[in-house]
Amino acid sequence: MKYNKLFVYGLASVSAVGLSSCEDAYNIRQAGEKNNANEVYNTIVDFERGLNGVYELISTEKTIEFTAIFTDEVAIGVNNGGQGLGDGQYQFQLTSGSDAAASIWQSNYIMINFANRLMAQRDRVKANIDAKYADYTEEDTVKWGEYQSELQRLNDVMAQLYAIRAFGHFQLLSWFSTDPSNPDALGVMKLDFFPEFNDYSTFLPRVKNSEIYTLIDSDLEKATTFFADGAGTTDVTRVSPNFITALKARMALYRKDYTTAASLSQSLIGNYSSALQKTADAYSQIVTDASANESIFRLARVLGDFQIGSYWASARSSLAGSPFFEVSRSLYDAFKETPSDIRAAGENLIDASSVVSDNPDGEADYVNSDILVINRYPGNSAQGDPLLNDIKVFSMGEMYLIRAEALANLGQLNGVSNSNVNKTTVQDVMRSLRRARFAQASYANRAYTDITDALSDIQDERRKELAFAGHRYLDIKRLGPVTGKSVDRYYRDCQPYSACDLSATSYKFTLPIPNTEITANPSIRGQQNPNY
């Protein structure tokens, strides 16, 4: 019996097939079945359909759920039936057997694996396109135009595939490396090829962050080159040059390359100078997917796709919808400090059916007297599904905060410019963001005493701006050791579960390599993260 290599490289399966497979059990071919990629990808249409399949594998939902429960975005809800408690996630229990670690690891490697498979067919499809138009020259303007169009479409697919592979590797590095800013720290497995089904010759170990970054940088350079002959798409549900810039900006911030992070985020702020919404109604259009404003990249979700709202409630985002998680009181109060904040106004944070106590400290029955129903994923009315929403991956709000954090670390703290676009200090960037979010034409400038003071304010603002978007866990990991701020739960939410405190320096702010991978892959067994 041999390990099935498709399950190794991050694909360790928890299905009935199991972690290993006897060759006579899997080496079966049905009549009419196409196992060889050469039989599937022949034309540009085939290639584009393959790309659509890769898009279906991009997922950040699990990072959103895990972050919300493990940190301080949710509280145990009035209709909770063990969610977040049975697996210990709310109580900060995290082991190599945790579902979140396995899901984030496997989903990204599955996506990378399929992207690699499709990229391996590029030359074959290109040769078929060349053969198709071999009898035509530039004098035949119609056919020559069709030929050039198919070549551009081929390049566009390759650009997107390289960018998606880069995104997958960066996701993995962010969650599984103890220190993404340290080039010598242990990263993840570098998967830059498609493993053949019957090839058992090698197993991949984890490599240094520097090696992963070299691959990511190369992939993004290739993606940019393939996009160079065309403008790329303006569809925010597809990878575009703006996606590449946003990914580079986030990655530069995590790598502590603050000059690059500041520059790249500013380039997007300049492109979207009027993107920040300034009314509660306009912001509501973003929450409900009625508008793509502020989105740089979002994952389109249609009927039949996973319902992200099902992480919080059984039926819908209302009191009658059986909510088993609620908005944490501490997060709600963070918005309450600024009552005009459009991000929490109306139903942009909690549903109208919520029961909101004016004095939660004094409630005899706190559980039933303060029910803050999560409405950040209220369903898309156009889709007709009360639990289905698009997933916002890169937003303009994040770019403002990336620039602010980068400028803070560069020591550019105070001062307000007259420019409507180019903000050169933390004070200026935060002022612009808050003027929009507080729906105020003017906003009192906050002066920062030092870098730590600025980073503390930025961490607080990231908590609100990026709530329920999967950032809080990594933000505490990156910023908490500097600011001294970690998980912030309201005592009546957390005391019943003995789960109120977790140090920002805890090893638990790096995910463990999942048992499924360690079991299937002998090259990684001695490379578990510390303390797991």
Side-chain angles (χ1 to χ4, degrees), residues 373-413:
V373 180
I374 300 170
N375 205 50
R376 191 45 66 92
Y377 295 101
N380 184 330
S381 59
Q383 296 284 358
D385 189 326
L387 297 174
L388 185 72
N389 279 103
D390 290 349
I391 311 302
K392 290 74 176 179
V393 178
F394 291 112
S395 68
M396 284 312 304
E398 183 190 357
M399 295 303 113
Y400 274 79
L401 289 164
I402 286 175
R403 181 158 175 80
E405 188 177 334
L407 292 174
N409 282 284
L410 292 171
Q412 297 172 222
L413 303 182

Short mmCIF file of all heavy atoms in Angstrom, two decimals, residues 373-413:
data_model
loop_
_atom_site.label_atom_id
_atom_site.label_comp_id
_atom_site.label_asym_id
_atom_site.label_seq_id
_atom_site.Cartn_x
_atom_site.Cartn_y
_atom_site.Cartn_z
N VAL A 373 -27.95 40.27 17.19
CA VAL A 373 -27.99 39.35 16.05
C VAL A 373 -27.06 39.85 14.95
O VAL A 373 -27.18 40.98 14.46
CB VAL A 373 -29.42 39.21 15.50
CG1 VAL A 373 -29.44 38.26 14.31
CG2 VAL A 373 -30.37 38.72 16.60
N ILE A 374 -26.13 39.01 14.55
CA ILE A 374 -25.16 39.37 13.51
C ILE A 374 -25.88 39.63 12.18
O ILE A 374 -26.64 38.80 11.70
CB ILE A 374 -24.13 38.24 13.31
CG1 ILE A 374 -23.36 37.97 14.60
CG2 ILE A 374 -23.16 38.59 12.17
CD1 ILE A 374 -22.50 36.73 14.55
N ASN A 375 -25.60 40.80 11.61
CA ASN A 375 -26.21 41.13 10.32
C ASN A 375 -25.16 41.53 9.29
O ASN A 375 -25.48 42.12 8.26
CB ASN A 375 -27.23 42.26 10.47
CG ASN A 375 -28.28 42.23 9.38
OD1 ASN A 375 -28.88 41.19 9.12
ND2 ASN A 375 -28.51 43.37 8.73
N ARG A 376 -23.91 41.19 9.53
CA ARG A 376 -22.86 41.55 8.59
C ARG A 376 -22.94 40.69 7.32
O ARG A 376 -22.43 41.08 6.28
CB ARG A 376 -21.49 41.42 9.27
CG ARG A 376 -20.34 42.01 8.50
CD ARG A 376 -20.61 43.38 7.91
NE ARG A 376 -20.80 44.46 8.84
CZ ARG A 376 -19.87 45.26 9.30
NH1 ARG A 376 -18.62 45.08 8.94
NH2 ARG A 376 -20.16 46.25 10.11
N TYR A 377 -23.59 39.54 7.38
CA TYR A 377 -23.89 38.72 6.20
C TYR A 377 -25.39 38.43 6.22
O TYR A 377 -25.82 37.34 6.58
CB TYR A 377 -23.07 37.43 6.22
CG TYR A 377 -21.59 37.68 6.09
CD1 TYR A 377 -20.76 37.64 7.22
CD2 TYR A 377 -21.01 37.97 4.86
CE1 TYR A 377 -19.40 37.89 7.11
CE2 TYR A 377 -19.65 38.22 4.75
CZ TYR A 377 -18.85 38.18 5.87
OH TYR A 377 -17.51 38.42 5.76
N PRO A 378 -26.19 39.42 5.81
CA PRO A 378 -27.64 39.31 5.93
C PRO A 378 -28.32 38.58 4.78
O PRO A 378 -29.55 38.48 4.73
CB PRO A 378 -28.09 40.77 5.96
CG PRO A 378 -27.09 41.46 5.07
CD PRO A 378 -25.78 40.75 5.31
N GLY A 379 -27.53 38.10 3.83
CA GLY A 379 -28.11 37.47 2.65
C GLY A 379 -28.23 38.44 1.51
O GLY A 379 -28.30 39.66 1.69
N ASN A 380 -28.25 37.91 0.32
CA ASN A 380 -28.35 38.70 -0.90
C ASN A 380 -29.76 38.55 -1.45
O ASN A 380 -30.14 37.48 -1.91
CB ASN A 380 -27.30 38.20 -1.91
CG ASN A 380 -27.25 39.03 -3.17
OD1 ASN A 380 -28.26 39.59 -3.59
ND2 ASN A 380 -26.09 39.09 -3.79
N SER A 381 -30.54 39.62 -1.39
CA SER A 381 -31.94 39.53 -1.82
C SER A 381 -32.07 39.15 -3.28
O SER A 381 -33.00 38.46 -3.68
CB SER A 381 -32.65 40.87 -1.56
OG SER A 381 -32.00 41.92 -2.26
N ALA A 382 -31.09 39.56 -4.10
CA ALA A 382 -31.14 39.23 -5.52
C ALA A 382 -30.98 37.72 -5.73
O ALA A 382 -31.51 37.16 -6.70
CB ALA A 382 -30.05 39.98 -6.28
N GLN A 383 -30.26 37.07 -4.82
CA GLN A 383 -30.07 35.62 -4.92
C GLN A 383 -31.22 34.86 -4.26
O GLN A 383 -31.38 33.66 -4.48
CB GLN A 383 -28.75 35.21 -4.24
CG GLN A 383 -27.51 35.77 -4.91
CD GLN A 383 -27.17 35.05 -6.20
OE1 GLN A 383 -27.82 34.10 -6.59
NE2 GLN A 383 -26.12 35.50 -6.87
N GLY A 384 -31.99 35.55 -3.43
CA GLY A 384 -33.10 34.90 -2.77
C GLY A 384 -32.68 33.92 -1.69
O GLY A 384 -33.41 32.97 -1.38
N ASP A 385 -31.51 34.15 -1.09
CA ASP A 385 -31.00 33.26 -0.06
C ASP A 385 -30.63 34.11 1.16
O ASP A 385 -29.73 34.94 1.08
CB ASP A 385 -29.78 32.50 -0.57
CG ASP A 385 -29.32 31.40 0.38
OD1 ASP A 385 -29.44 31.59 1.60
OD2 ASP A 385 -28.82 30.37 -0.10
N PRO A 386 -31.31 33.90 2.30
CA PRO A 386 -31.07 34.75 3.48
C PRO A 386 -29.73 34.53 4.16
O PRO A 386 -29.38 35.25 5.09
CB PRO A 386 -32.23 34.38 4.41
CG PRO A 386 -32.56 32.97 4.04
CD PRO A 386 -32.36 32.89 2.56
N LEU A 387 -28.95 33.55 3.74
CA LEU A 387 -27.67 33.26 4.37
C LEU A 387 -26.49 33.37 3.41
O LEU A 387 -25.36 33.11 3.79
CB LEU A 387 -27.68 31.84 4.98
CG LEU A 387 -28.69 31.58 6.10
CD1 LEU A 387 -28.69 30.11 6.48
CD2 LEU A 387 -28.38 32.44 7.32
N LEU A 388 -26.74 33.77 2.16
CA LEU A 388 -25.72 33.77 1.12
C LEU A 388 -25.24 35.17 0.82
O LEU A 388 -26.04 36.06 0.55
CB LEU A 388 -26.28 33.13 -0.15
CG LEU A 388 -25.30 32.94 -1.31
CD1 LEU A 388 -24.32 31.83 -1.00
CD2 LEU A 388 -26.08 32.62 -2.60
N ASN A 389 -23.93 35.37 0.88
CA ASN A 389 -23.33 36.66 0.51
C ASN A 389 -21.98 36.45 -0.16
O ASN A 389 -21.31 35.43 0.05
CB ASN A 389 -23.13 37.55 1.73
CG ASN A 389 -24.37 38.29 2.16
OD1 ASN A 389 -25.02 37.91 3.12
ND2 ASN A 389 -24.72 39.34 1.43
N ASP A 390 -21.59 37.45 -0.96
CA ASP A 390 -20.24 37.47 -1.49
C ASP A 390 -19.24 37.65 -0.36
O ASP A 390 -19.58 38.16 0.72
CB ASP A 390 -20.07 38.62 -2.49
CG ASP A 390 -20.84 38.41 -3.78
OD1 ASP A 390 -21.35 37.30 -3.99
OD2 ASP A 390 -20.93 39.37 -4.58
N ILE A 391 -18.00 37.25 -0.61
CA ILE A 391 -16.94 37.36 0.39
C ILE A 391 -15.98 38.45 -0.05
O ILE A 391 -15.38 38.37 -1.12
CB ILE A 391 -16.18 36.02 0.54
CG1 ILE A 391 -17.16 34.86 0.71
CG2 ILE A 391 -15.20 36.10 1.70
CD1 ILE A 391 -18.09 34.99 1.90
N LYS A 392 -15.85 39.47 0.78
CA LYS A 392 -14.99 40.60 0.44
C LYS A 392 -13.56 40.29 0.88
O LYS A 392 -13.27 40.16 2.07
CB LYS A 392 -15.47 41.88 1.12
CG LYS A 392 -16.79 42.43 0.57
CD LYS A 392 -18.02 41.63 1.00
CE LYS A 392 -19.32 42.23 0.53
NZ LYS A 392 -20.49 41.43 0.93
N VAL A 393 -12.66 40.18 -0.09
CA VAL A 393 -11.28 39.77 0.18
C VAL A 393 -10.35 40.97 0.29
O VAL A 393 -9.56 41.08 1.22
CB VAL A 393 -10.78 38.80 -0.92
CG1 VAL A 393 -9.33 38.41 -0.67
CG2 VAL A 393 -11.68 37.55 -0.97
N PHE A 394 -10.42 41.88 -0.67
CA PHE A 394 -9.63 43.11 -0.63
C PHE A 394 -10.57 44.30 -0.76
O PHE A 394 -11.39 44.33 -1.69
CB PHE A 394 -8.60 43.17 -1.76
CG PHE A 394 -7.49 42.17 -1.63
CD1 PHE A 394 -7.37 41.11 -2.53
CD2 PHE A 394 -6.54 42.27 -0.62
CE1 PHE A 394 -6.35 40.19 -2.43
CE2 PHE A 394 -5.51 41.36 -0.51
CZ PHE A 394 -5.41 40.31 -1.41
N SER A 395 -10.45 45.25 0.15
CA SER A 395 -11.34 46.41 0.14
C SER A 395 -10.53 47.69 0.25
O SER A 395 -9.36 47.69 0.68
CB SER A 395 -12.32 46.35 1.31
OG SER A 395 -11.62 46.51 2.55
N MET A 396 -11.16 48.81 -0.08
CA MET A 396 -10.48 50.09 0.02
C MET A 396 -10.21 50.46 1.47
O MET A 396 -9.20 51.08 1.78
CB MET A 396 -11.29 51.18 -0.67
CG MET A 396 -11.20 51.14 -2.19
SD MET A 396 -9.50 51.02 -2.79
CE MET A 396 -8.73 52.43 -2.02
N GLY A 397 -11.11 50.09 2.37
CA GLY A 397 -10.88 50.38 3.78
C GLY A 397 -9.58 49.76 4.26
O GLY A 397 -8.82 50.38 5.02
N GLU A 398 -9.30 48.53 3.82
CA GLU A 398 -8.04 47.88 4.20
C GLU A 398 -6.85 48.65 3.65
O GLU A 398 -5.82 48.78 4.32
CB GLU A 398 -8.00 46.44 3.70
CG GLU A 398 -6.73 45.72 4.15
CD GLU A 398 -6.52 44.36 3.49
OE1 GLU A 398 -7.38 43.92 2.70
OE2 GLU A 398 -5.46 43.74 3.76
N MET A 399 -6.96 49.18 2.43
CA MET A 399 -5.83 49.90 1.84
C MET A 399 -5.50 51.17 2.65
O MET A 399 -4.32 51.50 2.86
CB MET A 399 -6.12 50.27 0.38
CG MET A 399 -6.25 49.07 -0.54
SD MET A 399 -4.80 47.98 -0.55
CE MET A 399 -5.48 46.49 0.20
N TYR A 400 -6.54 51.88 3.11
CA TYR A 400 -6.30 53.04 3.97
C TYR A 400 -5.54 52.63 5.23
O TYR A 400 -4.60 53.31 5.66
CB TYR A 400 -7.63 53.70 4.35
CG TYR A 400 -8.13 54.70 3.34
CD1 TYR A 400 -8.77 54.28 2.17
CD2 TYR A 400 -7.98 56.07 3.53
CE1 TYR A 400 -9.23 55.19 1.23
CE2 TYR A 400 -8.45 56.99 2.60
CZ TYR A 400 -9.07 56.55 1.45
OH TYR A 400 -9.52 57.45 0.53
N LEU A 401 -5.95 51.52 5.82
CA LEU A 401 -5.33 51.09 7.07
C LEU A 401 -3.93 50.51 6.85
O LEU A 401 -3.07 50.62 7.72
CB LEU A 401 -6.25 50.08 7.76
CG LEU A 401 -7.52 50.73 8.32
CD1 LEU A 401 -8.57 49.69 8.64
CD2 LEU A 401 -7.20 51.56 9.55
N ILE A 402 -3.70 49.89 5.69
CA ILE A 402 -2.35 49.45 5.36
C ILE A 402 -1.43 50.67 5.25
O ILE A 402 -0.31 50.68 5.78
CB ILE A 402 -2.33 48.65 4.05
CG1 ILE A 402 -2.91 47.24 4.28
CG2 ILE A 402 -0.90 48.53 3.50
CD1 ILE A 402 -3.04 46.41 3.02
N ARG A 403 -1.90 51.70 4.56
CA ARG A 403 -1.06 52.91 4.42
C ARG A 403 -0.81 53.54 5.78
O ARG A 403 0.32 53.95 6.09
CB ARG A 403 -1.71 53.91 3.47
CG ARG A 403 -0.86 55.17 3.28
CD ARG A 403 -1.16 55.90 2.01
NE ARG A 403 -0.42 57.16 1.90
CZ ARG A 403 0.85 57.25 1.52
NH1 ARG A 403 1.52 56.17 1.19
NH2 ARG A 403 1.44 58.44 1.45
N ALA A 404 -1.84 53.62 6.62
CA ALA A 404 -1.67 54.23 7.94
C ALA A 404 -0.63 53.46 8.76
O ALA A 404 0.26 54.06 9.39
CB ALA A 404 -3.01 54.26 8.68
N GLU A 405 -0.72 52.14 8.75
CA GLU A 405 0.23 51.32 9.53
C GLU A 405 1.64 51.45 8.98
O GLU A 405 2.61 51.50 9.75
CB GLU A 405 -0.22 49.87 9.53
CG GLU A 405 0.57 48.97 10.45
CD GLU A 405 0.06 47.55 10.49
OE1 GLU A 405 -1.14 47.32 10.23
OE2 GLU A 405 0.88 46.64 10.77
N ALA A 406 1.76 51.48 7.67
CA ALA A 406 3.08 51.63 7.07
C ALA A 406 3.69 52.98 7.43
O ALA A 406 4.86 53.08 7.80
CB ALA A 406 2.99 51.47 5.56
N LEU A 407 2.90 54.04 7.33
CA LEU A 407 3.39 55.38 7.67
C LEU A 407 3.77 55.47 9.14
O LEU A 407 4.75 56.14 9.49
CB LEU A 407 2.34 56.43 7.32
CG LEU A 407 2.05 56.64 5.82
CD1 LEU A 407 0.88 57.59 5.64
CD2 LEU A 407 3.28 57.15 5.10
N ALA A 408 3.01 54.79 10.00
CA ALA A 408 3.34 54.80 11.43
C ALA A 408 4.72 54.21 11.64
O ALA A 408 5.55 54.76 12.38
CB ALA A 408 2.29 54.02 12.21
N ASN A 409 4.99 53.09 11.00
CA ASN A 409 6.28 52.44 11.17
C ASN A 409 7.41 53.21 10.50
O ASN A 409 8.58 52.99 10.82
CB ASN A 409 6.21 51.01 10.65
CG ASN A 409 5.51 50.07 11.61
OD1 ASN A 409 6.08 49.67 12.62
ND2 ASN A 409 4.25 49.74 11.31
N LEU A 410 7.06 54.10 9.57
CA LEU A 410 8.07 54.97 8.95
C LEU A 410 8.25 56.27 9.73
O LEU A 410 9.04 57.13 9.35
CB LEU A 410 7.66 55.28 7.51
CG LEU A 410 7.70 54.09 6.54
CD1 LEU A 410 7.06 54.46 5.19
CD2 LEU A 410 9.13 53.58 6.32
N GLY A 411 7.47 56.41 10.83
CA GLY A 411 7.61 57.58 11.68
C GLY A 411 6.88 58.81 11.20
O GLY A 411 7.07 59.90 11.75
N GLN A 412 6.02 58.66 10.21
CA GLN A 412 5.28 59.81 9.66
C GLN A 412 3.91 59.86 10.35
O GLN A 412 2.91 59.40 9.81
CB GLN A 412 5.14 59.67 8.14
CG GLN A 412 6.49 59.67 7.43
CD GLN A 412 6.38 59.34 5.95
OE1 GLN A 412 7.21 58.60 5.42
NE2 GLN A 412 5.38 59.88 5.28
N LEU A 413 3.88 60.46 11.54
CA LEU A 413 2.71 60.36 12.40
C LEU A 413 1.70 61.48 12.23
O LEU A 413 0.52 61.23 12.02
CB LEU A 413 3.16 60.29 13.87
CG LEU A 413 4.12 59.16 14.25
CD1 LEU A 413 4.43 59.21 15.74
CD2 LEU A 413 3.54 57.81 13.87
#
